[in-house]
Short mmCIF file of all heavy atoms in Angstrom, two decimals:
data_model
loop_
_atom_site.label_atom_id
_atom_site.label_comp_id
_atom_site.label_asym_id
_atom_site.label_seq_id
_atom_site.Cartn_x
_atom_site.Cartn_y
_atom_site.Cartn_z
N ILE A 220 121.57 38.52 31.11
CA ILE A 220 120.16 38.82 31.24
C ILE A 220 119.36 38.22 30.11
O ILE A 220 118.31 37.61 30.32
CB ILE A 220 119.94 40.35 31.32
CG1 ILE A 220 120.53 40.94 32.60
CG2 ILE A 220 118.44 40.71 31.23
CD1 ILE A 220 120.46 42.45 32.70
N LEU A 223 119.07 34.52 30.37
CA LEU A 223 117.99 34.09 31.26
C LEU A 223 116.68 33.98 30.48
O LEU A 223 115.91 33.01 30.65
CB LEU A 223 117.83 35.11 32.42
CG LEU A 223 116.59 34.90 33.30
CD1 LEU A 223 116.68 33.59 34.07
CD2 LEU A 223 116.43 36.08 34.27
N MET A 227 114.68 30.39 30.03
CA MET A 227 113.30 30.22 30.47
C MET A 227 112.44 29.72 29.34
O MET A 227 111.55 28.86 29.53
CB MET A 227 112.77 31.53 31.04
CG MET A 227 113.32 31.91 32.39
SD MET A 227 112.63 33.46 33.04
CE MET A 227 110.90 32.98 33.24
N ILE A 257 104.15 45.13 33.61
CA ILE A 257 104.80 45.01 34.94
C ILE A 257 106.31 44.93 34.79
O ILE A 257 107.06 45.66 35.47
CB ILE A 257 104.25 43.77 35.69
CG1 ILE A 257 102.76 43.92 35.99
CG2 ILE A 257 105.04 43.53 36.97
CD1 ILE A 257 102.09 42.66 36.49
N GLY A 258 106.77 44.06 33.89
CA GLY A 258 108.20 43.84 33.74
C GLY A 258 108.95 45.06 33.24
O GLY A 258 109.98 45.43 33.82
N LEU A 261 109.13 47.94 35.70
CA LEU A 261 110.06 47.69 36.80
C LEU A 261 111.44 48.27 36.52
O LEU A 261 112.12 48.73 37.44
CB LEU A 261 110.14 46.18 37.05
CG LEU A 261 110.75 45.70 38.37
CD1 LEU A 261 109.96 46.27 39.55
CD2 LEU A 261 110.73 44.17 38.45
N TYR A 262 111.86 48.28 35.25
CA TYR A 262 113.17 48.83 34.92
C TYR A 262 113.28 50.33 35.26
O TYR A 262 114.37 50.85 35.47
CB TYR A 262 113.51 48.61 33.44
CG TYR A 262 113.98 47.21 33.17
CD1 TYR A 262 113.18 46.32 32.44
CD2 TYR A 262 115.21 46.76 33.61
CE1 TYR A 262 113.63 45.01 32.18
CE2 TYR A 262 115.65 45.46 33.38
CZ TYR A 262 114.84 44.59 32.66
OH TYR A 262 115.27 43.32 32.42
N VAL A 265 113.87 50.24 39.54
CA VAL A 265 114.90 49.49 40.26
C VAL A 265 116.30 49.84 39.71
O VAL A 265 116.42 50.39 38.62
CB VAL A 265 114.67 47.96 40.18
CG1 VAL A 265 113.30 47.63 40.72
CG2 VAL A 265 114.79 47.46 38.73
N THR A 267 119.22 47.57 40.80
CA THR A 267 120.13 46.47 41.15
C THR A 267 120.04 45.36 40.10
O THR A 267 118.98 45.13 39.52
CB THR A 267 119.83 45.89 42.54
OG1 THR A 267 118.50 45.32 42.54
CG2 THR A 267 119.92 46.97 43.60
N TYR A 268 121.14 44.66 39.93
CA TYR A 268 121.21 43.64 38.87
C TYR A 268 120.22 42.49 39.13
O TYR A 268 119.61 42.00 38.18
CB TYR A 268 122.64 43.08 38.82
CG TYR A 268 122.90 42.18 37.64
CD1 TYR A 268 123.01 42.70 36.36
CD2 TYR A 268 123.08 40.81 37.81
CE1 TYR A 268 123.26 41.89 35.25
CE2 TYR A 268 123.34 39.97 36.73
CZ TYR A 268 123.42 40.52 35.44
OH TYR A 268 123.66 39.71 34.37
N ALA A 269 120.03 42.12 40.39
CA ALA A 269 119.11 41.03 40.70
C ALA A 269 117.68 41.39 40.27
O ALA A 269 116.93 40.55 39.74
CB ALA A 269 119.13 40.72 42.19
N LEU A 270 117.30 42.65 40.46
CA LEU A 270 115.94 43.07 40.07
C LEU A 270 115.83 43.25 38.56
O LEU A 270 114.75 43.09 38.01
CB LEU A 270 115.57 44.35 40.82
CG LEU A 270 115.34 44.16 42.32
CD1 LEU A 270 115.10 45.51 42.98
CD2 LEU A 270 114.18 43.20 42.60
N PHE A 271 116.94 43.57 37.89
CA PHE A 271 116.94 43.56 36.43
C PHE A 271 116.62 42.15 35.93
O PHE A 271 115.87 41.99 34.96
CB PHE A 271 118.30 44.00 35.87
CG PHE A 271 118.67 45.43 36.19
CD1 PHE A 271 120.01 45.82 36.24
CD2 PHE A 271 117.70 46.40 36.44
CE1 PHE A 271 120.37 47.11 36.51
CE2 PHE A 271 118.05 47.70 36.75
CZ PHE A 271 119.39 48.07 36.78
N LEU A 272 117.19 41.14 36.58
CA LEU A 272 116.91 39.76 36.20
C LEU A 272 115.45 39.41 36.46
O LEU A 272 114.81 38.74 35.66
CB LEU A 272 117.84 38.82 36.97
CG LEU A 272 119.32 38.86 36.58
CD1 LEU A 272 120.15 38.09 37.61
CD2 LEU A 272 119.54 38.29 35.19
N LEU A 273 114.92 39.86 37.60
CA LEU A 273 113.51 39.61 37.93
C LEU A 273 112.59 40.22 36.89
O LEU A 273 111.62 39.59 36.46
CB LEU A 273 113.19 40.18 39.31
CG LEU A 273 111.70 40.10 39.73
CD1 LEU A 273 111.24 38.65 39.82
CD2 LEU A 273 111.47 40.82 41.05
N ALA A 274 112.87 41.45 36.49
CA ALA A 274 112.04 42.10 35.48
C ALA A 274 112.08 41.33 34.17
O ALA A 274 111.02 41.13 33.52
CB ALA A 274 112.55 43.53 35.23
N MET A 275 113.24 40.81 33.79
CA MET A 275 113.34 40.02 32.57
C MET A 275 112.56 38.71 32.70
O MET A 275 111.92 38.26 31.73
CB MET A 275 114.80 39.73 32.24
CG MET A 275 115.00 38.91 30.96
SD MET A 275 114.20 39.63 29.49
CE MET A 275 115.20 41.13 29.30
N ALA A 276 112.55 38.10 33.87
CA ALA A 276 111.80 36.86 34.08
C ALA A 276 110.28 37.10 33.89
O ALA A 276 109.59 36.30 33.25
CB ALA A 276 112.07 36.32 35.48
N ILE A 277 109.78 38.24 34.40
CA ILE A 277 108.36 38.57 34.23
C ILE A 277 108.04 38.80 32.75
O ILE A 277 107.03 38.32 32.23
CB ILE A 277 108.02 39.83 35.07
CG1 ILE A 277 108.16 39.51 36.56
CG2 ILE A 277 106.60 40.31 34.76
CD1 ILE A 277 108.10 40.74 37.45
N ILE A 278 108.89 39.56 32.07
CA ILE A 278 108.71 39.82 30.65
C ILE A 278 108.71 38.51 29.85
O ILE A 278 107.90 38.32 28.93
CB ILE A 278 109.81 40.75 30.12
CG1 ILE A 278 109.64 42.16 30.71
CG2 ILE A 278 109.80 40.84 28.59
CD1 ILE A 278 110.85 43.05 30.52
N THR A 279 109.59 37.60 30.22
CA THR A 279 109.74 36.34 29.47
C THR A 279 108.48 35.48 29.61
O THR A 279 108.06 34.83 28.63
CB THR A 279 110.97 35.58 29.96
OG1 THR A 279 112.13 36.40 29.82
CG2 THR A 279 111.17 34.30 29.15
N ILE A 280 107.85 35.47 30.79
CA ILE A 280 106.62 34.72 30.94
C ILE A 280 105.55 35.30 29.99
O ILE A 280 104.81 34.57 29.34
CB ILE A 280 106.13 34.75 32.40
CG1 ILE A 280 107.13 34.01 33.28
CG2 ILE A 280 104.74 34.11 32.51
CD1 ILE A 280 106.85 34.16 34.78
#
Side-chain angles (χ1 to χ4, degrees):
I220 292 175
L223 171 66
M227 288 181 64
I257 295 170
L261 197 57
Y262 281 111
V265 303
T267 62
Y268 190 71
L270 291 175
F271 295 155
L272 290 169
L273 174 62
M275 181 55 67
I277 294 169
I278 291 167
T279 303
I280 295 171

